[in-house]
C-alpha cells in the first residue's frame, strides 16, 4: 500500500523543500564595513563558491532520494517506484516468474530488501551476473514492543538500539517516527495488511542534561546509558492525556507507576502515539495491530558547505551507495539499454547489514542465491545444464558498496598516511588481509579497469594495524556464493551519526564508476587471461 506513504511524503517535500539558492539573505547593516575590511584579502578576488547549478545532478538526486527514504522500508518503496517508472516489472517471490533476455525485473522481501535485474539481449546461459550490492538500513533507535513509559510526569517512548549508532548524536535533535504498520482495517475484523507510515512533524526529542547538572561532561566525555538515557519524550503526561480527552481515565498522570495509567490497564503504546499514527494512516487507532517503527530525524538532507561541495544528511551510509547503484542500473548503456549486454545486470539492496546481515532479509540469508538460481534456471529453460549455477557464479562479479571513512582533518592520526581516503578523490577500494573485506588483487584490478576506461579516479584503504576494522556484506556474500567480490565505498565523515556528511563530487564519481562497471565489465573480464576464480 503506497497511499499513506505518498500522502505522507508529499507533505515532507512541502515542509522541507531545499532552500532556494536564490533566497535573499537577511540584510546586514555591517555588510559595507565587512566588505571593506576584507577587501584586500586575495580570497575576495575570486569567490570560491560553486553555483548550486554546478552541483552534480547525481548529488541533488541523492538528496531527494534520501529525503524520501526515512527507513529501510521507505528506501525500498522509493526504489520500487523508480524501477517501475523505468519499466521494470515487479515480481513476487511467491509466484512463478517469466523472464527473458531484454527484460527488466525486480522483487522485494519484507518490503525492506530489494533485488532488481536486467537481462542482456546477448545473454547466453553460463554468462555472468554483474551485481552491485548495498544495504537499506542505518543505525537508529527502534520502538520496543511495549513502548509506553510514564516517568516524572512525562510520556516517553521505549526504544531499543539498532546497530552501532553514535547514540549521543541523537540528543537534542527534532525526531519523529516512521516504519511499517500491521493493520486490520474495517470494523468487525477485516483483512490484515502492511502499510508504511511516516510522521513528518517532530514529535519526539531526547534532551541532553544541562551542563550545570553535568559539570565534567566536556572533560570526561558524554557518558550514555542506552537503556536509561535514550528514551525520547513524546509529551508531558498531563498534555498527552488532555490531548486525547483521557484526563478522566488518567487520574494520576504524574504518577511514577505506569500501571496506574488508564485505570490500571497499561497500554502497549501511548494512545497519543497511536492516534497520531492513525491520523497519518487514515484509520482508527483500534485498527493498528502491530508495527515496526524507527525513530527518525526530521531534518532533511541538504547540499552544504561554502562551495556547495558537501551533502549533510542522515543515512548516507548506505543510501548513497544504494542510490548510485540504482541510478547506474537505470542509465547504463544509455537509459538502461540492454542491446549490447551479454550478462545480467543486478542491484541487490539488503536490510539488516548494520546488525550483521544474519537474517532472512539480510545478505547472510538466501535472498540473492534464491534470485540467481531462479534466474539461471528460467534462462536455460530448466534444461539442467551441467554446472550451470557454478559456471555462472565463476563468471559473475559482485561490487559490494558500502561507505568508507574519509580522512578527518582533526583526527588525521586515525589513518595511515598511504591509505587516507580524501573527499572528491573517487571511490575507495577497501582491503583487509584478515578478510574483513573480500577484495583481492584481481577483483580490485577488474573494478579499477572498468573505471579507467572512463578516466574515473579511485583510491585505496586499509585500516591501521592497531585499530579494529569494520566489515560489510562483501565477505558474507563472497563466502556464501563463491563470487568474486570487490569492497568499495564513497568516503564520508561522521559515519553512523544521525547527521553524516560526504562530498557531492564523490556521489557523481560513484555513480559513474558503477555505470562503467555495468558497461565495461564483460569486456574487461574477457581481457583477463588465465583466470582461476
Ligand atoms: Zn554501511
Amino acid at each position: 500500500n503506497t497511499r499513506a506513504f505518498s500522502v505522507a511524503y508529499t507533505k515532507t517535500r512541502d515542509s522541507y523543500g531545499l532552500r532556494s539558492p536564490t533566497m535573499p539573505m537577511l540584510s546586514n547593516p555591517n555588510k559595507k564595513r565587512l566588505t571593506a575590511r576584507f577587501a584586500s584579502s586575495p580570497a575576495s578576488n575570486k569567490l570560491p563558491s560553486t553555483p548550486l547549478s554546478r552541483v552534480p545532478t547525481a548529488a541533488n538526486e541523492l538528496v531527494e532520494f534520501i529525503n524520501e527514504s526515512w527507513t529501510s522500508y521507505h528506501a525500498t518503496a522509493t526504489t520500487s517506484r523508480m524501477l517501475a517508472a523505468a519499466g521494470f516489472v515487479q515480481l513476487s517471490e511467491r509466484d512463478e516468474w517469466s523472464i527473458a533476455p531484454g527484460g527488466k525485473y525486480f522483487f522485494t522481501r519484507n518490503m525492506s530488501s530489494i533485488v532488481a535485474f536486467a537481462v542482456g539481449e546477448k545473454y547466453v546461459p553460463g554468462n555472468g551476473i554483474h551485481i552491485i550490492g548495498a544495504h537499506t538500513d542505518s543505525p537508529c533507535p527502534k520502538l520496543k514492543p511495549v513502548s509506553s513509559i510514564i516517568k516524572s510526569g512525562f510520556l516517553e517512548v521505549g526504544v531499543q538500539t539498532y546497530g552501532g549508532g553514535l547514540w549521543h548524536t541523537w540528543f537534542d535533535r527534532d525526531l519523529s517516527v516512521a516504519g511499517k504498520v500491521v493493520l486490520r482495517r474495517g470494523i468487525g475484523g477485516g483483512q490484515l495488511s502492511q502499510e508504511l507510515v511516516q510522521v513528518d512533524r517532530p514529535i519526539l526529542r531526547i534532551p541532553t542534561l544541562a551542563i550545570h547538572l553535568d559539570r565534567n561532561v566536556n572533560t570526561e566525555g558524554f557518558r550514555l546509558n542506552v537503556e536509561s538515557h535514550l528514551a525520547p519524550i513524546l509529551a508531558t503526561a498531563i498534555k498527552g492525556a488532555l490531548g486525547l480527552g483521557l484526563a478522566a481515565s488518567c487520574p494520576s498522570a504524574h504518577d511514577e507507576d505506569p500501571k496506574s495509567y488508564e485505570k490500571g490497564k497499561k497500554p502497549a503504546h501511548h494512545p497519543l502515539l497511536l492516534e497520531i499514527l492513525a491520523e497519518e494512516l487514515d484509520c482508527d487507532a483500534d485498527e493498528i495491530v502491530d508495527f515496526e517503527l524507527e525513530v527518525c530525524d526530521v531534518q532533511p538532507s541538504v547540499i552544504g558547505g561554502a562551495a556547495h561541495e558537501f551533502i549533510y544528511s542522515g543515512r548516507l551510509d548506505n543510501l548513497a551507495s544504494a542510490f548510485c547503484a540504482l541510478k547506474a542500473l537505470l542509465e547504463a548503456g544509455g537509459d538502461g539499454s540492454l542491446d549490447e549486454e551479454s550478462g545480467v545486470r543486478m542491484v541487490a539492496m539488503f536490510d539488516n547489514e548494520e546488525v550483521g546481515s544474519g537474517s532472512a532479509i539480510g545478505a547472510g540469508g538466501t535472498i540473492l542465491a534464491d534470485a540467481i538460481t531462479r534466474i539461471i534456471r528460467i534462462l536455460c529453460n530448466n534444461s539442467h545444464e551441467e554446472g550451470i549455477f557454478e559456471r555462472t557464479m565463476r563468471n559473475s562479479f559482485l561490487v559490494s558498496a558500502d561507505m568508507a571513512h574519509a580522512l578527518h582533518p582533526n583526527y588525521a592520526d586515525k589513518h595511515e598516511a598511504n591509505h587516507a581516503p580524501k573527499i572528491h578523490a573517487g571511490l575507495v577500494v577497501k582491503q583487509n588481509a584478515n578478510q574483513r573485506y573480500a577484495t583481492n588483487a584481481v577483483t580490485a584490478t577488474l573494478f579499477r579497469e572498468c573505471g579507467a576506461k572512463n578516466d574515473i579516479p579511485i583510491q585505496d584503504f586499509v585500516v591501521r594495524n592497531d585499530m579494529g576494522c569494520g566489515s560489510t556484506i562483501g565477505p558474507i556474500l563472497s563466502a556464501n556464493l563463491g563470487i568474486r567480490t570487490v569492497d568499495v565505498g564513497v568516503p564520508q565523515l561522521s559515519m553512523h551519526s544521525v547527521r553524516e556528511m560526504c562530498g557531492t563530487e564523490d556521489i557523481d564519481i560513484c555513480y559513474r564508476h558503477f555505470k562503467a562497471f555495468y558497461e565495461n565489465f564483460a569486456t574487461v573480464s574477457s581481457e583477463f587471461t588465465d583466470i582461476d576464480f
Side-chain angles (χ1 to χ4, degrees), residues 329-381:
L329 179 68
L330 296 179
E331 297 181 11
D335 285 342
S337 167
L338 298 164
D339 295 353
E340 297 303 315
E341 179 60 66
S342 58
V344 176
R345 295 176 191 157
M346 180 182 280
V347 167
M349 303 182 192
F350 304 92
D351 201 350
N352 290 161
E353 188 277 341
E354 298 293 357
V355 292
S357 300
S359 74
I361 52 175
T366 60
I367 188 164
L368 194 52
D370 289 352
I372 291 172
T373 307
R374 288 183 82 164
I375 292 167
I376 294 169
R377 279 203 198 125
I378 296 169
L379 291 176
C380 72
N381 297 316

Side-chain angles (χ1 to χ4, degrees), residues 187-265:
I187 299 152
Q191 293 273 341
L192 287 168
S193 62
Q194 306 175 52
E195 299 180 22
L196 300 192
V197 70
Q198 174 177 320
V199 177
D200 294 329
R201 66 189 175 98
I203 59 169
L204 296 174
R205 192 169 165 105
I206 315 168
T208 46
L209 189 59
I211 189 148
H212 317 80
L213 306 178
D214 192 9
R215 282 286 181 197
N216 300 325
V217 65
N218 289 329
T219 48
E220 292 177 5
F222 180 58
R223 287 172 201 279
L224 163 66
N225 181 304
V226 286
E227 179 56 45
S228 45
H229 299 149
L230 202 61
I233 292 173
L234 177 72
T236 56
I238 194 73
K239 290 283 184 190
L242 285 172
L244 282 169
L246 291 175
S249 62
C250 184
S252 50
H254 289 280
D255 203 305
E256 298 287 335
D257 179 12
K259 288 199 178 81
S260 67
Y261 196 40
E262 284 210 345
K263 293 176 183 166
K265 187 169 160 261

Side-chain angles (χ1 to χ4, degrees), residues 135 317-318 353-354 402-403 496:
H135 64 90
D317 174 13
N318 192 23
E353 188 277 341
E354 298 293 357
D402 203 350
M403 301 300 274
H496 288 194

Side-chain angles (χ1 to χ4, degrees), residues 47-51 304-310 312:
L47 282 173
S49 76
T50 314
H308 307 298
E309 62 180 312
F310 300 124
Y312 303 152

Side-chain angles (χ1 to χ4, degrees), residues 9-79:
Y9 195 63
T10 312
K11 275 198 279 177
T12 313
R13 266 198 197 166
D14 293 343
S15 315
Y16 303 112
L18 269 178
R19 198 172 119 162
S20 158
T22 54
M23 181 180 278
M25 300 292 286
L26 288 173
S27 67
N28 179 354
N30 297 324
K31 197 176 177 192
K32 253 186 190 157
R33 207 165 61 82
L34 288 172
T35 310
R37 191 177 157 202
F38 292 111
S40 59
S41 157
S44 67
N45 295 334
K46 201 176 170 195
L47 282 173
S49 76
T50 314
L52 264 181
S53 60
R54 275 201 263 144
V55 172
T57 305
N60 279 319
E61 289 174 350
L62 170 62
V63 164
E64 195 169 330
F65 180 84
I66 292 178
N67 285 336
E68 299 201 21
S69 305
W70 280 24
T71 69
S72 54
Y73 298 112
H74 293 85
T76 301
T78 307
T79 303

Side-chain angles (χ1 to χ4, degrees), residues 113-173:
S113 292
I114 183 164
V115 175
F117 57 97
V119 185
E121 291 281 7
K122 296 183 174 170
Y123 175 86
V124 288
N127 283 5
I129 301 184
H130 308 150
I131 310 165
I132 303 176
H135 64 90
T136 55
D137 59 323
S138 300
C140 64
K142 294 194 177 191
L143 269 63
K144 288 183 176 178
V146 178
S147 73
S148 119
I149 297 171
I150 304 181
K151 236 163 70 178
S152 309
F154 287 97
L155 303 187
E156 290 188 339
V157 177
V159 293
Q160 51 178 334
T161 54
Y162 174 82
L166 279 173
W167 301 120
H168 67 271
T169 63
W170 288 78
F171 283 69
D172 293 345
R173 304 291 304 184

